[in-house]
Amino acid sequence: MSVLLTNIGELVTNDPVHGGTSEPRAGGPGDGLGIVAGAAVVVEAGRIAWTGPASSAPAADEVVDLGGRCVLPGFVDSHSHTVFAGDRSAEFAARMTGEPYTGGGIANTVAATRAASEQALRARGQALVREMLAQGTTTVEIKSGYGQDIATEARMLRIARELTPETTYLGAHTVPAEYAGDRAAYLHLVTGPMLAACAPHARWVDVFCEPAAPTAFDEDESRAVLTAGLRAGLLARVHGNQLSAGPGVRLAVEVGAASVDHCTHLTDADVDALAGSWADGAGTVATLLPAIEFSTRSPYPDARRLLAAGVPVALATDCNPGSGYSSSMPFVVALAVREMRMSPAEALWSATAGGAAALRRDDVGHLRVGARADLTVLDAPSHLYLAYRPGVPLVSQVWKDGARATPPR
Ligand SMILES: [Zn+2]
């Protein structure tokens, strides 16, 4: 059965046919977003079958009038930690009011996640993915990393796999307290039996490479984690350069990671390495997570420097209970425009096609014919409203795999 979505005020496709691009090497949105005014879309068998001016749309079995609203590719949130237990709102409040915080930080989440039942973890993860969908996110990546023991890491990934195909083994999130005196033993666990238990449920391997943080991992440790994951058949991504200009970016490029995430502190050599990684074939995307700088009151990454160097940039939420608990891609787009001086077009491209590149996916993040029919409908005339009206629930309905995934409002 085919469905014609028509009377679309502005359709963002990222499709070169309409003057856009979903190809990161073309420099992202410099070529435009492939916008069609007065548009229509035909959806059939879960895929985009046709896009163009409504006046020349083909017939379909069902017609949906969108009343002049704006339609975007569904957001691709390529970085989240949405399977966990516990509550760290008091930690956030203390951080914001400058009170000394004496809690355990991530150790609290690890303890609560280990203690939680599988049903409780699943229920929380499902609720967060529903919350993301309601805000226009149709593809989400979910990491482990709050178990830090074999059983809990594997449990997190089994649950994440029920929610998304983009699951990431992050046993090397931090060194848990019980291994503080023997980091090598934890590394042995993460690259050995824990990896073996987790790899069947994961597509990706990730590591928090941050020598400046005593519980994170240095360059050699991070390389060991990534190469073990690659040997097990996983693809690499890296948490790097969040707190200082460390080795994360260069290591990510060295192992051919799809993305290095945070990129808050970069040297010129890091920017060159990222740009150079695209010289032949798929390189490493710089994924920026400005909701973390917002929620930790830290300086934002320099998006303009990356864009000027021709590095493909993705935007994601990093939704997690500690450093930033927003699940909202519209909020991230608004932050990217206001705080990182990305244009509204650049930010939207990075939140859709950029996220898809960071996940090495060519079936999402754009609305070319043949793409997954994942569409976000805004109760607004154009994509500019995402940043122009921050904090306003503009997403009026979401379609996933060619079917309505949220009730229209
Ligand atoms: Zn993260």
Side-chain angles (χ1 to χ4, degrees):
M1 200 193 81
S2 58
V3 181
L4 172 66
L5 304 167
T6 192
N7 196 9
I8 297 169
E10 178 183 281
L11 173 68
V12 174
T13 63
N14 295 331
D15 184 346
V17 165
H18 301 303
T21 179
S22 55
E23 171 59 57
R25 292 174 71 185
D31 306 312
L33 293 174
I35 289 175
V36 184
V41 174
V42 177
V43 164
E44 188 162 18
R47 300 278 169 163
I48 300 295
W50 184 91
T51 61
S55 55
S56 51
D61 300 322
E62 187 191 335
V63 177
V64 176
D65 186 326
L66 289 175
R69 292 182 176 84
C70 175
V71 172
L72 321 168
F75 294 117
V76 179
D77 187 350
S78 59
H79 186 142
S80 89
H81 305 251
T82 40
V83 174
F84 67 89
D87 183 306
R88 286 160 67 189
S89 52
E91 179 185 334
F92 172 76
R95 195 162 68 222
M96 288 300 108
T97 55
E99 287 172 38
Y101 170 69
T102 51
I106 191 174
N108 284 340
T109 304
V110 172
T113 302
R114 286 176 177 174
S117 70
E118 181 149 340
Q119 298 92 300
L121 285 176
R122 179 177 291 110
R124 171 84 72 112
Q126 287 171 337
L128 283 168
V129 169
R130 266 199 309 276
E131 182 179 283
M132 290 169 146
L133 185 70
Q135 296 170 95
T137 299
T138 49
T139 302
V140 61
E141 180 265 14
I142 302 176
K143 302 175 195 298
S144 71
Y146 295 129
Q148 304 182 1
D149 62 34
I150 294 173
T152 315
E153 287 291 310
R155 184 185 312 135
M156 286 183 75
L157 283 165
R158 275 201 315 274
I159 293 166
R161 197 22 84 81
E162 296 170 12
L163 301 170
T164 180
E166 302 298 341
T167 54
T168 300
Y169 169 52
L170 180 58
H173 197 181
T174 57
V175 177
E178 63 270 27
Y179 284 93
D182 192 356
R183 300 173 62 91
Y186 188 62
L187 206 68
H188 185 76
L189 181 68
V190 165
T191 56
M194 191 189 282
L195 172 62
C198 289
H201 314 296
R203 179 170 185 231
W204 302 94
V205 61
D206 194 349
V207 60
F208 183 22
C209 178
E210 191 70 64
T215 61
F217 298 85
D218 69 18
E219 179 174 350
D220 290 343
E221 292 167 338
S222 299
R223 185 181 287 106
V225 169
L226 295 170
T227 52
L230 290 165
R231 267 202 305 276
L234 305 180
L235 301 170
R237 46 203 320 104
V238 175
H239 280 70
N241 301 58
Q242 177 185 1
L243 306 172
S244 64
V249 165
R250 274 160 290 141
L251 180 61
V253 171
E254 174 192 314
V255 303
S259 179
V260 55
D261 298 30
H262 286 292
C263 292
T264 310
H265 297 272
L266 299 179
T267 64
D268 289 344
D270 293 329
V271 176
D272 289 347
L274 287 167
S277 73
W278 293 88
D280 40 34
T284 303
V285 172
T287 298
L288 308 183
L289 311 166
I292 301 310
E293 280 76 30
F294 177 86
S295 294
T296 57
R297 199 175 276 136
S298 306
Y300 289 90
D302 190 345
R304 291 251 59 90
R305 182 184 182 195
L306 290 161
L307 292 166
V311 177
V313 170
L315 290 167
T317 61
D318 195 9
C319 180
N320 79 83
S323 57
Y325 194 19
S326 176
S327 59
S328 172
M329 288 297 281
F331 174 62
V332 168
V333 167
L335 284 180
V337 171
R338 170 63 179 82
E339 302 293 339
M340 302 198 300
R341 298 171 189 273
M342 294 176 78
S343 71
E346 287 167 337
L348 178 54
W349 187 92
S350 293
T352 53
L359 293 173
R360 300 243 165 107
R361 291 277 298 268
D362 60 10
D363 58 335
V364 297
H366 62 88
L367 299 178
R368 285 201 307 269
V369 170
R372 262 171 212 280
D374 293 352
L375 307 118
T376 290
V377 182
L378 298 184
D379 205 358
S382 85
H383 71 282
L384 301 177
Y385 279 60
L386 286 169
Y388 175 48
R389 303 201 68 205
V392 177
L394 292 179
V395 175
S396 73
Q397 55 181 291
V398 180
W399 290 61
K400 182 155 168 62
D401 294 324
R404 264 195 207 93
T406 61
R409 69 165 179 80

